[in-house]
Every structure is written in C-alpha cells, then in structure tokens.
Amino acid sequence: MSTLLLKNIRCLATMDDDRREMAGAWILIRDRLIVGVGPAETTPVDGASRVVDLSRHVVLPGLVNCHHHMFQSLTRVLAQDCELFDWLAALYPIWSRLRGEHVFTAAKLALAELILSGCTTASDHHYLFPNDVQLEDEIRAAGETGIRFHAARGCMSLGESAGGLPPDSLVESEPDILRDTQRLIETWHDPAPQSMLRIAVAPCSPFSVTQDLMREAAALARHFGVRLHTHLAENEKDVAYSLASFGVGPGQYAADAGWLGDDVWHAHCVKLSADEIYQFGRSGTGVCHCPSSNMRLASGIAPIRQMLDCRVKVGLGVDGSASNDSGHLLGEARQALLLQRAQGDPAALSAREALELATRGGAAILGRDDIGQIAAGKSADIVAFRLDGLEMAGGLHDPLAALIFCQPPSVDLSIINGEIVVEDGNLLTVDLPLLIEKHNKISLQLIRGET
C-alpha cells in the first residue's frame, strides 16, 4: 500500500469545516485517500513511500470546474464582438462539422489546460452531437488525462423552424435524446465515493429544447439518481425569450419544469431577480458562476454576493473556450472577486470566499462531499503553487490571498485521486507539444471548412 507524505507546507488552506489554515503543515495520503493532516510538530517521521517537501508552496484542495464546453477550444477568438445569441448564430455552422476526433482532441486539450490551472475535478456540458460525435469522446479524453470528470449529456431539440435558436441540422429528436442519456447513465455513471466519472442530465437551454423535454429529462435524472444541469438567465435576450415564449421569467420557468432542488445546478444566472435568488437558496439549487464568459459576451454581472447571502450554493466555471478563450480556473476565481467589487463595494467578495467558490462551492453543487477540502477521509485531490516566483513577490505575508490578488500562476504539483498528475509544473499524463500541434491543425481545418 503506497503512502505519500507532503511536509513542511509553507501555507496550507484545508477548506475543511473549520476553515483551518496552517504553516509548516503536513498531509499524509494512502492510496486514494487523505489519512492525516496536521501541524508541523506532529509530522510523521517514517512510514511514507515517498516524501515531498513543500516549504515553498501554498497548498489547497484541488479546484472544481462546474461548467465548460470543451469542444469550443477549437474555435477560440471568433465572433469577437457579439453578444450570446449572435455569437451562437455565428458559430453553429462551424460546429456542425464536428466529428468525434475533434471532440476528443478538444476535450483533452481543455482538460490539460484546466489541470495546469489547479483544477482536479471538471464538469463538461456537451450538447452537440453531429456526425459521429458521442459523449464517449470526452470520457476517453478525461480518462487519459487523469482528471475527475462529470460528463453532462447536453442536447438541443428545438430548431429554428420550431422557434428555437439553433439550426435544425444540429437538433436531435427527443426520444433519441432520452434514450441515449439513459444509455450513458447505465453504462458510465459511478455514484460511489471517490468516483472518477459521473453522468449528469443536461438539456442545453430554454431556447434550444422544449419544456416537455425539460420535464422528462428531470424525471429521468431523478429516476436514476443523477444530477441536472442547464443554462439559465444568462442575459437580457435570454430573459426576453422566456417571457415571450412561456409568459414567465427564467426562475419560474425552471420551477414549473421541475428544475429547482438540491440535485440541480444552473450555469450563469446573471439575470436572476431577488425573488428568484431567494427561491434558489430555499430550494438548495446551485449556480455556476462564469465571470469571464459573462464579460466577454457582455451578459452582465451575476449577483453572486446576493446569492451567497441567501445561502445559494455557488461554484465556478470557465465556460466554453470560445466564450472565455481561456481555461484557467484559478483565474476565474480572481475574476469573480474583481467583478463583484467592480459594482462599488471593495469588500463584496474576499479572496478566501473566491477560493471557497472554486473548491467547496463547486463540490457542493456537483453533489460531492468527498472533494473540495483537505481532511482525513476525503479524496486525495490536492494542488500546490510555488510562492517563490515573480507573480507572488511582495505578497508572501498572506500567501493564500496572493493566489487571488496576484497574477494567477500555473500549478506546480497536482495530485488527483492519490496520483501525481503534475510535478514541477509538468503535466505527466499528456504529451502537450504533440497535442497542441494536432489541436491547432484540426482547428484551422474546422474553421476553414476543410474537414
């Protein structure tokens, strides 16, 4: 039985129930689990298969990314000056050419980018299935990178001819959607503690599926005990569509469709009203905040402070790599802090609150109590960032806050499920130069229509 001892940790933020922070601390890992955490004076002196000195590092639980569209890493920097609906309309024709190998390569690159930013658990919302694309393309990529993965089976069923936004060529029939979603749950979903792969049910949005499908998808998810995910209230056009099509705002639409509850999380929620926020908090419904994407598409500023004050579960997501154009989850925590403060309150969100969104917050909305904190019995998902680099200089009096206030660094050490995945800043599970070369080649072919 292998054991790994992390010792002399310069600054450890456990994010445990007591929010303990320690200097000179240690963590003992046995196989996939954390078996001990403590202060310097109680450091184990023998018995570890391997010992790693982290006297130049700040250590925290692995970050949790709760919303992404990984295929979009192939189409970055397009539709540069568009809001959400126009941006989608510009990109749908390109995405209609996607094939399984595109999705696999894009997901592998996006996951590598996330891991190097400190992410150890990621959820991806994949809603396009043209040609030979299957959700297994992403599942294979996750398995090869070594990340903990929540694969959300998205879908679109409401094409332009029926009043939806996507072109008819990109929608699926609702029976096919439900049939394939059930297949994926029965084949791949692992509900056990320390699970590396779970499936979520995730119709794309109110403007791309019918309300009947939303209801049937919720019933399917609850029958199998899996979680529900979708986009909601992303911008003013989204709200206007809901009012015009259903006669209610997005929050009430979600309630009417059965999409409130502690097994549901929604992406964005930029335009939720005060009453809707209260309803989310009371029902235990989660929200994934995607600050960079919301800024890029001029969607607005999600009322995260109000959500937290109403006890809404909030996590973070980088969102699609073509609406953010980056996949740095620690960077999203920084943007979350700055964006809340940009509204006039310099104390609207603290650095520690931002990091909590990226760890415990994300774990909560994914329904996991085995990740998001460093404590005995939890999964061994741990990341360490160097403190002796250019980015942190001058901020070492508060290393944890420096992670948020200073330029976000790349991770130096990442342990996922007890395995070292990044060491000395190098990702061990992926040949990055080869992957980047392949990704760039197929990206240009896809955008130019050569495939």
Side-chain angles (χ1 to χ4, degrees):
M1 186 176 291
S2 64
T3 56
L4 173 63
L5 175 64
L6 310 178
K7 70 173 188 176
N8 300 328
I9 298 168
R10 171 74 177 270
C11 175
L12 170 63
T14 64
M15 295 291 173
D16 66 8
D17 291 343
D18 297 321
R19 310 306 195 269
R20 290 183 299 164
E21 297 179 20
M22 292 182 272
W26 57 271
I27 304 167
L28 184 64
I29 298 165
R30 183 171 296 121
D31 293 333
R32 301 187 299 159
L33 295 177
I34 298 167
V35 296
V37 182
E41 59 270 21
T42 65
T43 303
V45 294
D46 54 32
S49 308
R50 182 175 178 188
V51 178
V52 178
D53 188 291
L54 295 177
S55 55
R56 297 182 295 182
H57 295 75
V58 56
V59 174
L60 61 158
L63 309 184
V64 180
N65 178 58
C66 299
H67 185 69
H68 207 332
H69 308 296
M70 293 175 184
F71 73 89
Q72 292 180 13
S73 67
L74 292 164
T75 55
R76 286 171 163 160
V77 204
L78 293 172
Q80 295 175 15
D81 303 314
C82 295
E83 57 74 47
L84 174 65
F85 282 27
D86 292 339
W87 173 85
L88 285 168
L91 286 163
Y92 280 142
I94 299 172
W95 295 340
S96 69
R97 297 192 287 269
L98 284 168
R99 294 194 173 274
E101 192 61 20
H102 293 118
V103 173
F104 166 74
T105 304
K108 195 167 183 179
L109 183 126
L111 290 166
E113 187 176 18
L114 282 171
I115 291 170
L116 288 169
S117 76
C119 180
T120 58
T121 298
S123 179
D124 192 65
H125 187 188
H126 188 78
Y127 55 86
L128 289 176
F129 294 89
N131 306 308
D132 64 341
V133 174
Q134 291 186 304
L135 199 63
E136 278 86 350
D137 300 318
E138 293 197 324
I139 291 170
R140 179 163 63 101
E144 291 187 11
T145 60
I147 200 165
R148 203 178 296 277
F149 195 49
H150 285 235
R153 205 296 185 183
C155 57
M156 300 193 298
S157 67
L158 193 67
E160 281 181 300
S161 64
L165 186 68
D168 291 349
S169 61
L170 277 176
V171 302
E172 302 173 85
S173 77
E174 296 188 353
D176 286 348
I177 289 166
L178 294 169
R179 189 179 305 112
D180 189 57
T181 303
Q182 180 173 336
R183 177 191 68 82
L184 288 161
I185 296 168
E186 292 176 334
T187 304
W188 297 107
H189 181 69
D190 178 4
Q194 286 77 53
S195 165
M196 292 295 288
L197 178 61
R198 292 184 180 174
I199 303 297
V201 177
C204 185
S205 63
F207 53 81
S208 59
V209 301
T210 67
Q211 198 166 22
D212 284 344
L213 180 61
M214 292 291 284
R215 293 191 181 101
E216 291 185 47
L220 176 69
R222 289 177 174 131
H223 174 76
F224 284 99
V226 303
R227 300 185 83 76
L228 298 84
H229 180 52
T230 192
H231 298 89
L232 195 75
E234 187 168 352
N235 69 3
E236 293 289 0
K237 283 189 176 181
D238 195 346
V239 175
Y241 181 91
S242 184
L243 290 169
S245 301
F246 312 113
V248 295
Q252 189 59 50
Y253 170 89
D256 292 345
W259 277 70
L260 295 183
D262 62 6
D263 57 352
V264 181
W265 87 102
H266 295 278
H268 302 297
C269 296
V270 174
K271 299 298 180 180
L272 285 187
S273 68
D275 287 344
E276 290 168 333
I277 291 171
Y278 175 76
Q279 193 175 19
F280 271 46
R282 187 176 58 183
S283 62
T285 307
V287 170
C288 180
H289 180 38
C290 304
S292 292
S293 176
N294 294 160
M295 288 187 282
R296 204 268 211 200
L297 297 176
S299 297
I301 302 174
I304 299 304
R305 181 71 269 160
Q306 295 94 311
M307 292 181 190
L308 294 175
D309 290 344
C310 287
R311 301 182 182 275
V312 177
K313 295 183 297 187
V314 181
L316 290 179
V318 299
D319 200 14
S321 296
S323 69
N324 177 337
D325 309 282
S326 176
H328 200 298
L329 189 54
L330 184 60
E332 291 305 307
R334 183 174 192 266
Q335 294 285 31
L337 175 141
L338 295 176
L339 203 53
Q340 292 307 296
R341 294 180 176 210
Q343 300 170 90
D345 180 0
L349 196 70
S350 72
R352 283 163 173 78
E353 284 178 312
L355 285 170
E356 187 157 326
L357 296 182
T359 52
R360 289 180 66 104
I365 68 174
L366 292 182
R368 303 202 64 143
D369 59 7
D370 56 341
I371 62 172
Q373 55 182 296
I374 295 174
K378 304 299 182 182
S379 296
D381 289 7
I382 299 165
V383 291
F385 296 87
R386 289 280 291 263
L387 289 170
D388 54 357
L390 181 65
E391 305 94 341
M392 302 290 196
L396 299 192
H397 56 91
D398 190 347
L400 193 61
L403 278 179
I404 294 296
F405 282 101
C406 300
Q407 176 182 323
S410 295
V411 74
D412 188 60
L413 174 73
S414 177
I415 299 167
I416 305 177
N417 203 37
E419 297 289 334
I420 295 177
V421 174
V422 176
E423 188 170 19
D424 297 326
N426 297 309
L427 181 57
L428 305 181
T429 55
V430 175
D431 184 336
L432 269 182
L434 188 65
L435 175 62
I436 292 167
E437 181 181 8
K438 178 181 179 181
H439 184 277
N440 280 330
K441 179 181 178 180
I442 65 174
S443 168
L444 288 172
Q445 291 173 338
L446 183 71
I447 292 167
R448 292 170 178 167
E450 297 173 359
T451 57

